Amino acid sequence: MRPIPSHSTVTLHPFATAQGGCGLRAVLSGRIDHAALSGLTPLLRRVADAPALTVRVDLGRVDFLDSCGIGILLALRNAVLDRGGTIAFEKHPPRIRRVLERSRIIALTEAPPFMDGGLAIPVAA
């Protein structure tokens, strides 16, 4: 069994969208729980200040997600949608996907339309 890190990290990578807009790829790693909130607050603030932002959230390196972490992801989703943007949660590891499915919010973190090469949640979601 792999050891679970006691912290989380987020790295942000801006990109240009196919429509000429601004995009932000956020790579999350480690534990996404109450302790991760302070590390994710800058991301939430940046999203809240950016109009019509395309956000891709890479969950591929997340080792642990609890109800507080789900709340963080939903707050991020809501902030993006409130500003007229789109958001995609990508690369769910199997254990994280199971948490999202068991929490019955998997439908909120994925959508069938493709936008700029990734799954995106449109504004009307």
Side-chain angles (χ1 to χ4, degrees):
M1 180 186 245
R2 231 171 34 164
I4 297 176
S6 61
H7 65 285
S8 64
T9 61
V10 60
T11 55
L12 304 176
H13 308 277
F15 65 91
T17 65
Q19 295 83 14
C22 178
L24 187 63
R25 183 169 181 262
V27 179
L28 306 181
S29 63
R31 299 175 62 89
I32 307 301
D33 54 15
H34 183 268
L37 184 58
S38 62
L40 294 175
T41 299
L43 173 62
L44 293 170
R45 286 189 186 137
R46 185 166 182 182
V47 167
D49 291 339
L53 186 65
T54 298
V55 179
R56 293 181 182 167
V57 181
D58 182 335
L59 300 172
R61 297 179 183 164
V62 173
D63 294 313
F64 178 81
L65 178 71
D66 67 4
S67 60
C68 290
I70 290 170
I72 292 168
L73 295 180
L74 291 177
L76 177 60
R77 174 192 175 267
N78 293 339
V80 171
L81 297 180
D82 287 348
R83 300 292 292 183
T86 58
I87 186 166
F89 293 87
E90 304 172 333
K91 301 181 184 176
H92 308 97
R95 80 178 118 220
I96 300 305
R97 183 169 187 82
R98 282 191 299 274
V99 170
L100 295 172
E101 288 170 346
R102 290 179 183 157
S103 303
R104 299 179 190 233
I105 64 152
I106 192 72
L108 298 178
T109 61
E110 61 180 26
F114 283 87
M115 177 157 298
D116 288 331
L119 288 175
I121 297 174
V123 176

